[in-house]
Amino acid sequence: MNKQAMLCAVLGTLLGASQAMAAEPRLGVQLWSVKDEIKQDFEGTLTRISRLGFQGVEFAGEFGPYKDNPAALRAFLDKNRLQCAGAHVHFDQLTDARFEATTAFYKTLGCSNLVIPMDARGASVDGSAAMSRELSALSSKLAPKGMRIGYHNHAQEMAGAVGSTPWDVIARSTPKESILQQDVGWTTFAGKDPVAYVYKYPGRTVSTHYKAKFAPGAAVAGSTPIIGQDKTDWAGLTRALRQAGGTEWIIVEQEEYPNGMGQLDTVAASLAGLKAVLATMPAQ
């Protein structure tokens, strides 16, 4: 860890003391990881996800036969001992005209974390500043409903020098209640340190995407984009989440499926790799 990251770690530990003793983060999966399989067999795929040992799912717009019946979907989740870890929604779903319908749907699911998955404005500092005003307004509007807004990064939000990236602008320009959902795969793809960013903005990493992803030409021989079969410091990251992240959910996301593996089989491999890492760490 470089000097700047070390300073962020010290500062984050001090400022994040109130989050340090939070409950152990639960394990969820972003359903985009199984986007094809879930369309073919929604209930069967979620049932298998539960049997793998996941505690929750993060939705990405696919609800199978329940798209107009959130109460029945909630019952199905409860039957399979799954919680709604959050949902990816776009800004257009939270316009004044659609706000009540959208929030009512997710409230019925027991979902309190709504996350914007991507926006073109996140590619620039000025655009991120404008977008942050919209995120801040939504944060205030969602608070009375017991819900939070968040934003999820790709590589574009991590471009530039640390401290002046679009991600830094979003972090500084939105209220502390809003979620900085860091996608670790995209952070490392952009050449940034995901651990340092957790400490830099303590208490904001309410949920985070655990994704193994390689920057072009950066793959190490024998590594694959599966958690535990790559070079990401998952133990260090998990330690940071426990100490300063205020993290409720670690969410596995899979975008690449090596060696012809199926989508859910690859997710299962990443979960196994993550559990192996967690098994080496002392309980909080």
Side-chain angles (χ1 to χ4, degrees), residues 48 127 192 199 205 236 241 274:
R48 288 182 63 194
K192 300 300 192 296
Y199 286 119
T205 315
L241 297 181
L274 174 56

Side-chain angles (χ1 to χ4, degrees), residues 87-154:
H88 276 191
V89 299
H90 291 279
F91 279 115
D92 63 355
Q93 295 173 266
L94 293 168
T95 59
D96 289 344
R98 301 179 67 185
F99 184 82
E100 292 300 331
T102 297
T103 54
F105 183 94
Y106 287 111
K107 281 286 280 188
T108 301
L109 294 185
C111 173
S112 59
N113 300 330
L114 303 181
V115 179
I116 305 297
M118 190 176 188
D119 190 278
R121 291 172 291 179
S124 71
V125 167
D126 289 343
S128 292
M131 182 176 64
S132 294
R133 291 191 286 273
E134 190 170 351
L135 289 168
S136 297
L138 284 170
S139 181
S140 297
K141 197 172 179 180
L142 287 166
K145 296 180 179 291
M147 304 177 82
R148 294 174 286 199
I149 193 68
Y151 189 79
H152 165 279
N153 72 283
H154 286 75

